[in-house]
Amino acid sequence: MSATNLSPNQKALRKFLKNPFGMTALVLIVLMSLLALFAYGIAPDHTPQANEQFPKLAQQMPGFQVQMLQLKTAEESKLNSFFGLFSGYERSYSLLAIDSVAMTNYGEVQVWEYAGASYRIDPNDLSGSIDEATILKTFWLGTDQLGRDILSRLLIGSRISLMVGFFAVLISSSIGIFLGGLAGYYRGWVDRVILWKMSIFWSIPTILLAMALFVGLKQHFSSNLWLVFIAIGLTMWVGMARIVRGQMMAFREIQFVEAANTMGFSDGRIIFRHILPNLIGPIVVVMASNFANAILVESGLSFLGLGVQAPAPSWGGMLSEFKDFIGTNLSYLAIIPGFLIMLLVLSFNLVGNGIRDALDIKN
């Protein structure tokens, strides 16, 4: 199909596909989203919240390997549960870090714990034979101060950032499009009232407003995660409302809107079926920018201890948890989550810029 026969949307898509930065960023976002979605199936520690602790293995360097002995527990295995892919799996055995293990002449199992004592246990306490129950575990990015697997917590933590971005954008876009549409279409006193509210929200720094909303709404929510969604979503609607308001004012004077008014169409039909579909481009650009901002705000709240609470992992929480290690040989504990936050925010901003350039008819 020749370029002259393409629709505006097809031309915009072709331009975006030719944008190397936008496409690279989009691939990174898709990759991170897939890793987050299947995090429990990929993470070495697939227990809920990746919170399996080995205090004797605390603060080990990346690539650390240790033998683990699988011991029976009273809990039933949930490894085959489909829902474990989204909420984590409870092990049917416990793990014990060891230096070595051997069978004695008396039919007992001699265990030498890692950096610990030596003692004997009943062979029936193992999850199988000695060879079957002994595994080699690798901590690819090392362990934290509680002996938890860093790679697993980073993978599970990516869910928090992406979920917060998604729900915060959903909330802020819904409010912004609704109020911006009302202000731009009806103008007059409706516009003045909404502009006054926008000015108030616009004058307060986002992180401070999110903190105030978090504290003010905390008593009404049992889950901190949903509270974070709502608190951040309520701070970011102004940008969307300003864009929609300006575009709505411009489209309100176009002939097809005047024709719809003449034909007696309702205001709701004109706004939602005739004007808003033409604003998809600017709305998507603002949504991409808000997604990046939501990730930053959530990271800031978690860094200050107001976000998702332990033991649930989040990149901002990990950054706060490991900030004291900066300047030591364990600096990577803080650098890695900080770098991932930067990479995800940059990716959404690049995608937003790419969409904006693709929709620019002047280029």
Side-chain angles (χ1 to χ4, degrees), residues 55 133 188 202:
W202 197 264

Side-chain angles (χ1 to χ4, degrees), residues 97-144:
I98 61 172
D99 282 324
S100 60
V101 60
M103 182 69 74
T104 68
N105 294 329
Y106 301 100
E108 295 178 310
V109 176
Q110 184 76 33
V111 176
W112 288 268
E113 279 195 50
Y114 180 86
S118 170
Y119 49 86
R120 296 179 181 181
I121 61 174
D122 190 321
N124 292 323
D125 292 338
L126 302 181
S127 63
S129 65
I130 289 183
D131 290 339
E132 292 171 341
T134 305
I135 62 173
L136 183 64
K137 187 174 179 64
T138 302
F139 296 88
W140 298 105
L141 290 179
T143 60
D144 64 10

Side-chain angles (χ1 to χ4, degrees), residues 29 42 98 156 314 331:
I29 291 172
I42 300 171
I98 61 172
I156 306 305
S314 73
S331 296

